[in-house]
Amino acid sequence: KALSQRGSLEQQRNNMSTPVVTNKWAGIFDCGTCRRKRLMGDEFSKKALERHRRDGAALKCKTCVADAEQAERTKAAAKRASSITGVNNQSETNEVRACGTCGKTLPQSSYNRNQWSKGDGKSRCRECVERAVERESANQKNSNDDKIMAARKKVEDIKKTGNTVKLVAAESELAALEAEKVTGLK
């Protein structure tokens, strides 16, 4: 009887973790702009989640923030275009500068104020800034998903060795990464 109990205990240890389907997880956050419900923490910026926890401020998901930024850029471009073609273009200068990223020589209107103030060779045109922002957000999302996949692989590798102490530690690490994805907390 003791041998059968030991066998079932060993079997339980080997089957400690169950496969997790992350795309079916439901979070506890709601976007105040698009009204989507039960979103995970990784749908929001870290700062927005901190503000929400501290002050109870309404949350705005990353998608809504990106849409608002794009609308603001479009509005600014339309304003620039109307000021260039209109009578009120005294503030517009005929200066040109090479973009620090793509190397194209572009007029001042192709740079935002912040980038223009950095000086020649350091400033980036609007297109390069937008591409960099998109690339950065994609890299961050991929990085988090890669960490979870690596932790899952580590759990599988340790299961093969049979070391229960390392298995528990690896599963704890995986659980922490998955919880961070859902809640936005480290």
Side-chain angles (χ1 to χ4, degrees):
K1 186 173 180 176
L3 186 60
S4 67
Q5 284 178 341
R6 210 177 297 148
S8 67
L9 237 163
E10 189 65 34
Q11 193 176 28
Q12 286 176 347
R13 285 185 189 141
N14 288 338
N15 295 324
M16 284 178 74
S17 70
T18 57
V20 178
V21 182
T22 57
N23 63 353
K24 300 209 185 241
W25 285 350
I28 58 170
F29 303 108
D30 301 335
C31 177
T33 305
C34 65
R35 302 284 186 220
R36 289 188 302 153
K37 306 276 186 213
R38 297 181 57 166
L39 299 174
M40 290 190 285
D42 69 344
E43 291 276 339
F44 303 92
S45 72
K46 187 175 181 178
K47 221 171 201 49
L49 288 172
E50 288 172 359
R51 205 174 319 119
H52 175 70
R53 288 187 182 98
R54 186 181 63 236
D55 306 332
L59 287 170
K60 194 178 207 182
C61 67
K62 289 178 182 176
T63 306
C64 291
V65 170
D67 291 346
E69 287 173 351
Q70 184 59 40
E72 188 176 330
R73 282 193 291 272
T74 304
K75 185 178 174 183
K79 185 177 178 182
R80 268 194 322 280
S82 69
S83 72
I84 289 172
T85 58
V87 182
N88 272 342
N89 76 3
Q90 290 131 352
S91 65
E92 183 70 28
T93 62
N94 292 331
E95 289 186 63
V96 293
R97 179 178 289 173
C99 173
T101 304
C102 66
K104 294 179 186 174
T105 303
L106 300 166
Q108 184 176 357
S109 61
S110 297
Y111 298 87
N112 65 33
R113 234 179 325 207
N114 183 30
Q115 291 295 324
W116 186 259
S117 68
K118 291 183 179 184
D120 200 15
K122 294 180 182 175
S123 55
R124 296 181 297 170
C125 66
R126 292 177 194 278
E127 291 177 15
C128 290
V129 169
E130 286 181 26
R131 279 195 302 266
V133 167
E134 289 171 5
R135 218 176 13 253
E136 182 181 329
S137 65
N139 286 343
Q140 184 178 8
K141 181 169 176 33
N142 291 340
S143 171
N144 292 341
D145 291 343
D146 290 345
K147 285 179 186 176
I148 290 175
M149 293 303 293
R152 285 186 183 147
K153 184 174 179 354
K154 183 177 177 182
V155 166
E156 292 302 317
D157 292 345
I158 292 174
K159 275 185 181 178
K160 292 174 186 172
T161 66
N163 187 338
T164 55
V165 173
K166 286 185 179 179
L167 181 61
V168 169
E171 286 183 337
S172 295
E173 183 181 331
L174 175 61
L177 289 170
E178 290 171 341
E180 180 182 344
K181 181 179 175 90
V182 174
T183 65
L185 295 171
K186 278 202 172 211

